């Protein structure tokens, strides 16, 4: 393992407004944000879509503001749907201003402001339904979680528009929270039942400079799991009233409150809670140069990605409680692998790169973004997966069985609608992953075609990237500098799958690697922790032509992963592939691929928005000898040759519904 | 498929008192009934065992009888623990009288009698806790289920001892039930939420000749699923009060009340409910010569055993609701496969043989008895499996996951203790499966060493059977007749696994088959529906020497069983084999057996009470190349040769706890 050191100064992202993405692969998803998701979700927030579970979200704010009658409806954290929508709108506006949309957002923000209580409290569930029960059920009430999403949205909206109304609303709320929570006597010594506010308070600190926000974030993290468990103690409190019956017999691991965070060694409990917490821990490690916190981040990351993560960059082996289980327990057909958890994993990985300048974290973040996050949304933007299995047999995805959470087709909307708006805000802010900077070096993390600008080494550098990463692996980068006397650097992430690559600089070979061995590195080029640094660039204009070898490759799991023994997965670059019934017929588990034969790829322009498909050869168990309908018999296996077509996992279930399979059995 | 006709006269069993079992294989389990289970369970019923969940069962009867203070404790059907204990005691006494035990049983019966209400009602839960709620919640209350077990026990006790006290108690209760339920106006038109009373009433009819009991059993079966669902209607009733919160959103399939029973085509819902109902349907089909009911029995049997049953003769693919799922959905590591369901499956199969004289039903019953029923109990008789998985990895048998119901070690006792006493009564009455008779022919179903007597063809025939079925497959039967002028017949079941066999009669070759082809059949021998009939036996003494070929054999599943594709199971005669970690090391799913190599067997006298183990050869994925702890990588599979030892499934988890595996991957 590479040693991942905590650097003195974490890398910064490049503001979204300085990055315009136009990418053959990503456009099919990113265009959905403004064209489909934002208007569709707005209609849902306002209960205007027939046949979709009612959200009641905006109506809740009206009722809380005293402008409508009625009762609160929806989940305790229903407000977050509006918050995530506003956050997505903010990113969309930052990239591409839109007066009508901005007006709609402003009106929504005004409504939120009117729903805020005198003392700054903002939460329609408690305001309408249980004003006396504020802060009495941190375990289940999601007040701090909801506050966190509201703060994130307000910070994003301020960054996008420069407008401060929303920021002031959440500052008032944050001020209240600072008055209620903290180490001081008389304050509540609790912490959130669902982490999220910690990272949000840090974002709020970054735009306001308010020390108390940062300090409270640190308090929530430091206090968690210390002494008597807060949530168990809270249940004995006076005002306590259970919200979720399934929380009876609460396991403190569920909310990562079983141990002080610095002592946690394994990724436990509810996955989304976990990764949101890890994000805040990473942020605080950077802000406070806290090596102990950083050590915990590294340990937890390693446990997750080396023992508890699917090849699709997803986490959560158990549908029940949407949780981690044990090392190497990675069932493919009854896992949870929530879309939101992969978003959180990417957010955590991004922070770890910023802290360590180690590109390997981005390998995992990229895997999550290109596979599970995208599989969470249909290509028409109107239906969604919460659960992202690696093997689906629609017949047995039944209610009241161990697969009841696995859906074989995406759902239009959910009562607990966390994933759809989370996907929207993620797609709208993809730019945050592409570049980092330390002022002198521009780190290129993801190869997504875009035009960007960044201040570097006292000047300004414009970047034009044209990427065909998911097909040929060819990437061209043109960097044009404007001003600045010193040389600047570019740090190109060498993805873990690109063991073989060539880089040409202004037409000249600059670097080459073959199967992981560097065979050429021109002057001014060095490789460190997965980044190839091109240093001291003084030219007005620099052209890089990169060829990552992204041939289809068979990948195997560590033999300790019992579910994958004797199976192979097919990957190409960042993309994991799968077999779908519509291409390959049913009963996919009866297929055995011949991994000695070379998989053949072909780009299919008209398929699923343009994808590279991969042809495989193998054998398939035939049912010829089982025509009598026997269930078990001492019969030989009979096979027929079969040709298979694999498609990228992210686009499964966009054609005929049917079976799907990632890990395919091998002929051994 | 063989056509399975409803014979005019169902076959009768031979009374237990006429069968003395002394069998090398079965003795290790059967001795437990009197030596361990009956005294141990008695202590449990009386809360005398430390560290075991309190039963409170006998105390409930004392409280209901007004002889003790306190509240009811336990499940609504807690009374059935006493009933099943008494039923097991009855069988034990029938085989081998025991004055002390009989006195204890009599005292218990007297207590039960004192706990009975004036009007005949007998159920301590409702008597103590909710006397006003009698019959208001048939769906969850288990009153008729509890009554059924009480009736079965009373019939067994009467048959064993000739004493009528208990019989009169349950007759008074049955009379009450006949007054409450039935088609007449003013009576309740409901039926049991958990079937059991139907088959019990038929048993009661058989010993009392009371038509109204038989008629009520028929009514319960005929009425089920007709018109508006009773259980859904009942929820709207005045006195209705929910007992099990998990029954909210009740699916009528759960209790097989979704359709009239004659229209049911697939085995649905809770498995134990299903098979107990099928037993009653078969009984009624025989009693009323009801071809429509018989057709339903055949259809449901076929659906179960040809599409929804494990090779171990177990049913219930889903832990949630302990239920059937869909055709060919047979996951091995998160199934339910309840011990009680296999008992019910054997009871149903037995009845189908009695009705059709088709031995193939007994193939399945035998598979259930020799594998899942026995795996339900430890060889010391003190711990039990409810759930009988076919693949266990202890690490992931975790609470609050999809495997939370799967235990990697047997439990000492359960709050809902249906399985342990059910195993006790089954072991105590194994004789019921061995022989059937129609008065002229003795049907030999199971090859378990025993001495028996039966009236046949006007005389009496004594049978001595010495069986080594599970090892060499050699069976000797000596039949000595006493009186009777006509010839009698013996019908020997030819098990489905015995495709090759020889039978010698008084030293002469009488019948031979090779790989399913009959190569010799002497005069007076015919084969029909799996029985080999030796007809017109007039000799005073006849000696049969049977050699069933029971070599270890690799069995495969229908390729539609996705979980078993590319895997083989090892069977020998009626026994399914498995790999255990204690013999083969951990990570059993990383083992690939070479099915071209002949498995070698050896009898190990000192192992697990004497078992035949089987040696296999194969390869095992090594972790050599994964020492860096990578989770996924483009690495080749590396194998090492391995020699494996398989043991019979019934005796797994009687040594070191660890992994276990039935379906083993093959090198293909």
């Amino acid at each position: 393992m590479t040693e991942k050191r905590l650097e003195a100064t974490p890398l910064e992202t490049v503001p979204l407004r300085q990055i315009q993405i136009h990418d053959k692969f990503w456009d099919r998803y990113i265009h959905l944000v403004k064209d489909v998701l934002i208007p569709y979700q707005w209609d849902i927030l306002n209960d205007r879509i027939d046949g979709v579970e009612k959200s009641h979200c905006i109506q809740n704010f009206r009722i809380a503001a005293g402008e409508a009658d009625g009762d609160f409806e929806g989940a305790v954290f229903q407000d977050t749907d509006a918050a995530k929508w506003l956050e997505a709108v903010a990113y969309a506006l930052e990239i591409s201003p839109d007066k009508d949309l901005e007006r709609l957002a402003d009106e929504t923000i005004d409504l939120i402001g009117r729903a805020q209580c005198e003392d700054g409290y903002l939460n329609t569930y408690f305001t309408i339904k249980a004003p006396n029960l504020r802060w009495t059920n941190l375990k289940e009430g999601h007040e701090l979680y909801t506050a966190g999403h509201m703060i994130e949205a307000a910070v994003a909206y301020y960054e996008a528009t420069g407008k401060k109304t929303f920021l002031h609303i959440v500052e008032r709320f944050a001020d209240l929270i600072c008055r209620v929570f903290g180490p001081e006597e008389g304050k509540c010594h609790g912490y959130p039942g669902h982490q999220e506010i910690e990272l949000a308070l840090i974002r709020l600190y970054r735009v306001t400079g308010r020390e108390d926000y940062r300090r409270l974030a640190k308090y929530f993290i430091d206090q968690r799991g210390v002494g008597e468990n807060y949530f168990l103690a809270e249940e004995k409190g006076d005002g306590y009233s259970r919200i979720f019956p399934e929380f009876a017999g609460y396991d403190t691991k569920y909310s990562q409150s079983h141990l002080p965070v610095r002592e946690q060694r394994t990724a436990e409990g509810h996955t989304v809670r976990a990764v949101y917490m890890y994000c805040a821990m990473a942020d605080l490690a950077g802000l406070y140069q806290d090596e102990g916190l950083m050590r915990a981040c590294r340990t937890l990351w390693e446990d997750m990605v080396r023992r508890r993560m699917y090849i699709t960059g997803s986490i959560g082996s158990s549908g029940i409680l949407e949780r981690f289980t044990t090392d190497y327990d990675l069932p493919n057909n009854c896992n949870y692998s929530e879309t939101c958890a992969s978003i959180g994993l990417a957010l955590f990985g991004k922070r770890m790169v910023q802290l360590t300048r180690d590109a390997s974290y981005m390998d995992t973040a990229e895997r999550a973004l290109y596979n599970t996050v995208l599989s969470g949304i249909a290509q028409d933007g109107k239906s969604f997966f919460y659960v992202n299995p690696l093997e689906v047999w629609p017949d047995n995805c039944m209610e009241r069985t161990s697969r009841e959470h696995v859906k074989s087709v995406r759902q239009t909307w959910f009562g607990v609608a966390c994933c759809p708006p989370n996907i929207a805000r993620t797609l709208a802010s993809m730019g945050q992953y592409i570049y980092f900077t330390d002022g002198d070096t521009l780190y290129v993390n993801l190869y997504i075609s875009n035009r960007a600008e960044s201040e570097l080494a006292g000047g300004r550098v414009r970047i034009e990237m044209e990427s065909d990463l998911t097909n040929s692996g060819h990437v061209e980068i043109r960097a044009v500098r404007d001003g600045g006397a010193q040389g600047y650097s570019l740090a190109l992430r060498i993805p873990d799958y690109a063991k073989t690559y060539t880089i040409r600089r202004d037409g000249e070979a600059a670097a080459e690697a073959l199967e992981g061995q560097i065979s050429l590195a021109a002057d001014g080029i060095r490789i460190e922790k997965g980044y190839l640094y091109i240093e001291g660039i003084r030219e007005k204009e620099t052209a890089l032509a990169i060829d990552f070898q992204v041939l289809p490759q068979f990948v195997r799991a560590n033999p300790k992963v019992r579910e994958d023994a004797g199976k192979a997965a097919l990957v190409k670059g960042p993309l994991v592939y799968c077999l779908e019934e519509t291409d390959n017929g049913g009963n996919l588990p009866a297929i055995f691929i011949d991994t000695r034969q070379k998989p053949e790829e072909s780009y299919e322009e008209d398929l699923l928005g343009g994808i590279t498909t991969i042809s495989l050869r193998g054998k398939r168990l035939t049912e010829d000898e089982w025509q009598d309908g026997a269930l078990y018999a001492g019969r030989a296996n009979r096979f027929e040759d079969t040709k298979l077509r694999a498609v990228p996992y992210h686009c499964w279930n966009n054609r005929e519904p049917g079976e799907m399979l990632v890990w395919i059995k091998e002929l051994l």
Side-chain angles (χ1 to χ4, degrees), chain A residues 100-116:
Chain A
D100 291 339
L101 182 59
E102 190 167 331
R103 192 176 315 116
L104 194 61
D106 284 339
E107 288 167 12
T108 309
I109 289 162
D110 289 341
L111 172 63
I112 290 171
R114 296 194 301 275
Q116 187 167 32

Side-chain angles (χ1 to χ4, degrees), chain A residues 578-585 607 643-647 655:
Chain A
C578 67
L579 300 181
E580 282 199 274
E581 182 173 351
T582 186
D583 295 313
N584 303 292
L607 188 64
K643 205 179 156 189
L644 304 159
R645 175 157 89 164
V647 298
R655 294 173 292 165

